[in-house]
Amino acid sequence: PFVARFVRGRPAPRPPAMNRGAWARTQVVRQVLQSFLARAHGGAVGDGEGESQVIVLGAGFDTSFFNLRLPQGCRWLEVDMEEVARRKAAVLQRSPDMLAMLGGPGGEGGAEIDLERGTVRGAAYGLAVADLRDLAGLEGALQTLGVRREPPTLVLLECVLAYLPPEAGRGLCRWAAASFPAGAIVIYEMTGMDAFGRQLLSNLRARGCALPGFEGCPDLPAQRERLAVSGFESVTAWDMDRVYRHFLDPEERRRVERLEFLDDPEELQLIMQHYCFVVGERRAAGGSSGEGLLGGVGATAAG
């Protein structure tokens, strides 16, 4: 219900395959977030006690914080470039219902909003500005929001690393592993540098959109290696076709499939095979034993 506040003009119709892919991406992120929060707080989301932290890098106009039922003791921190953060802060300032959520369950705590700097500081939610290629600047931005090292922390990067130079992407992964002993990282982005992947890359280049990180980490083995060498002991990397068929709730998937007729299911399968969902976990977060965040089938980094 909140996303429309960030959309200019009337929403344009999208092809059924694009809608289904967007739904799958949203669902897998939500399911993994809920699993992480339940594990951190010792029960279903909203129950139990404990602390947790979610850090969304390159957050854009994501509205997950406002849609999820977050437990008491969870802090949600977002970082993006200044122009994006200022626009998001402005929307929050003129939305009383969203403002009421920034202090956490019950709306307690309030929030400080600085439109010039694009920062929001609430008891449960924070927004700050940083260039993700500058780790010192990222650290400084998070410190202004009161980031902590001890609580279980999930770092989320949706369609972010593919746009960064490869070394900057590797630096972010190393930073995430080193900064949060009870940490996990979740990555969603393009994968598969075959004929289809090269055509995808060419089409985006023609529109002036380079993907240096995609070229620097072109397939699932490279995704696994990037997190393993960064310090994550448990790494799972699936393409989105596998996520769609084996991780998402089957009943909900069937409901969505009835909403729109899909003329060419093989096209959707091909597209989804060229996006991936990758999870890395530290041992302190429980990622190397028991059930991993992605379906309980996590592979060890060494394997």
Side-chain angles (χ1 to χ4, degrees), residues 90-269:
V91 171
L92 295 179
Q93 188 181 58
R94 60 176 181 263
S95 302
D97 54 342
M98 299 177 85
L99 279 175
M101 299 181 189
L102 303 183
E108 299 177 0
E112 299 176 9
I113 297 181
D114 186 331
L115 293 182
E116 285 299 314
R117 296 183 179 180
T119 60
V120 179
R121 283 180 283 193
Y125 173 90
L127 171 66
V129 171
D131 185 329
L132 299 182
R133 296 167 295 186
D134 176 8
L135 292 179
L138 172 61
E139 271 287 343
L142 289 172
Q143 287 175 16
T144 65
L145 299 179
V147 68
R148 297 184 61 199
R149 308 300 172 185
E150 303 81 12
T153 298
L154 186 146
V155 177
L156 177 60
L157 294 132
E158 287 189 75
C159 284
V160 173
L161 297 183
Y163 294 94
L164 297 178
E167 182 51 42
R170 289 190 290 269
L172 274 176
C173 294
R174 291 192 298 267
W175 166 85
S179 298
F180 307 103
I185 190 170
V186 171
I187 297 167
Y188 171 89
E189 63 183 15
M190 306 79 171
T191 191
M193 194 63 78
D194 55 10
F196 184 92
R198 289 191 293 273
Q199 186 60 51
L200 170 66
L201 194 60
S202 176
N203 292 343
L204 289 168
R205 280 176 179 160
R207 299 177 184 179
C209 181
L211 294 175
F214 179 18
E215 297 181 80
C217 194
D219 51 31
L220 293 181
Q223 292 280 350
R224 295 188 189 99
E225 181 184 13
R226 178 166 63 183
L227 293 191
V229 300
S230 295
F232 291 97
E233 294 94 349
S234 176
V235 180
T236 307
W238 287 5
D239 67 49
M240 282 299 294
D241 180 57
R242 186 179 180 187
V243 168
Y244 184 80
R245 290 184 289 110
H246 296 295
F247 182 70
L248 301 182
D249 179 73
E251 184 176 339
E252 180 68 3
R253 189 181 68 234
R254 287 191 290 271
R255 182 192 71 80
V256 167
E257 289 173 347
R258 290 193 295 267
L259 294 178
E260 291 182 305
F261 174 71
L262 193 62
D263 184 57
D264 188 357
E266 292 184 356
E267 178 190 13
L268 175 65
Q269 184 178 29

Side-chain angles (χ1 to χ4, degrees), residues 269-285:
Q269 184 178 29
L270 181 63
I271 293 171
M272 294 183 77
Q273 287 172 346
H274 288 82
Y275 286 84
C276 64
F277 197 80
V278 188
V279 178
E281 300 177 69
R282 297 289 308 274
R283 283 197 179 94

